[in-house]
Amino acid sequence: MIEPASQHIPKPSVVSTGQLIDSEKYQELSNAEPKDAPWLDTTYDGFNEEKLKEQLEILKRKNFQSVAIACMAEYSRVYGEMPDDELWMFLEAEYYATGEGQTVCLQVTQAEPGHKDDFDKTLSYPDNNKTLTTQAYRAVRDFYENFGTWHLHGLRFHSREAFFTRYADQLPILLVKLADSSCLLEYHSELHYNFA
């Protein structure tokens, strides 16, 4: 005799039937006070939300600096020293995975100072206008703001010539025409494609 397929279907769990919400334990946890559940307390273990945000900002700045140092080291190894008269930074990150397709993020930036991290406002004038951050750090921060954390792990800096040679077919024609110019410019694009 053949067994019916329904016999092999797993029994409904307490989550799918809603019994979990009706359980005493769930009710007890949902009505918990911070003294009963310390993970709900915003000042748990000496931390409050504002202090935690400050610490995360410090760690984020350290991460940007680490990425900038690594990218500049790779740039120096591949292209030599960056010319002092180069106004633009050329950044690229590529991500691809089976079934997820490919994403190419491109950015051309001057990475000018202007963010609150770029200056120490606790100093008196004129020292409070001295830039604390490098152009590479600012470029990484801008890239993060445009594309998010995920693409920082594959970030690369390119020379002007290498960038326009490699990505000319993905850039707007006007940008390609400006390849040999020095002007104020900010450009970023994200191309994603998937053949799955």
Side-chain angles (χ1 to χ4, degrees):
M1 183 167 137
I2 299 175
E3 297 177 358
S6 61
Q7 183 175 356
H8 300 287
I9 297 174
K11 302 285 185 238
S13 69
V14 292
V15 174
S16 64
T17 61
Q19 292 173 4
L20 180 64
I21 294 172
D22 298 332
S23 75
E24 264 184 54
K25 188 68 175 169
Y26 178 82
Q27 294 300 324
E28 180 184 322
L29 287 174
S30 64
N31 295 326
E33 293 293 319
K35 64 181 178 0
D36 302 326
W39 58 87
L40 297 175
D41 186 5
T42 58
T43 59
Y44 175 65
D45 201 18
F47 289 104
N48 62 31
E49 189 174 345
E50 290 304 313
K51 202 171 235 180
L52 186 59
K53 284 180 183 178
E54 286 175 24
Q55 290 180 341
L56 287 173
E57 280 301 312
I58 291 168
L59 291 173
K60 188 173 12 172
R61 287 193 297 268
K62 284 181 180 179
N63 186 46
F64 292 159
Q65 188 62 33
S66 296
V67 172
I69 289 169
C71 287
M72 287 307 294
E74 180 185 18
Y75 181 96
S76 295
R77 190 173 34 77
V78 174
Y79 305 112
E81 291 302 313
M82 184 175 285
D84 290 334
D85 61 344
E86 180 60 81
L87 296 175
W88 297 345
M89 302 281 303
F90 304 90
L91 295 81
E92 165 261 329
E94 246 181 299
Y95 171 77
Y96 51 91
T98 305
E100 293 184 29
Q102 183 163 354
T103 303
V104 179
C105 301
L106 302 176
Q107 180 169 328
V108 178
T109 181
Q110 287 182 277
E112 289 291 321
H115 195 271
K116 65 181 179 174
D117 297 344
D118 296 335
F119 307 100
D120 186 353
K121 293 300 181 183
T122 62
L123 299 174
S124 60
Y125 180 81
D127 294 331
N128 64 347
N129 288 323
K130 291 181 182 172
T131 306
L132 299 175
T133 56
T134 64
Q135 185 182 26
Y137 172 93
R138 294 188 301 268
V140 169
R141 182 186 59 215
D142 291 349
F143 194 89
Y144 162 78
E145 289 172 356
N146 286 320
F147 303 110
T149 308
W150 184 253
H151 292 290
L152 285 181
H153 78 279
L155 184 61
R156 286 187 208 96
F157 291 179
H158 291 286
S159 69
R160 180 185 292 251
E161 183 181 328
F163 184 84
F164 281 103
T165 300
R166 184 169 179 178
Y167 296 107
D169 59 338
Q170 295 180 29
L171 300 171
I173 198 115
L174 181 57
L175 184 61
V176 175
K177 287 180 182 178
L178 293 171
D180 296 323
S181 304
S182 291
C183 61
L184 296 174
L185 175 74
E186 292 292 324
Y187 171 80
H188 64 273
S189 69
E190 181 174 348
L191 172 66
H192 177 78
Y193 52 95
N194 190 346
F195 297 110

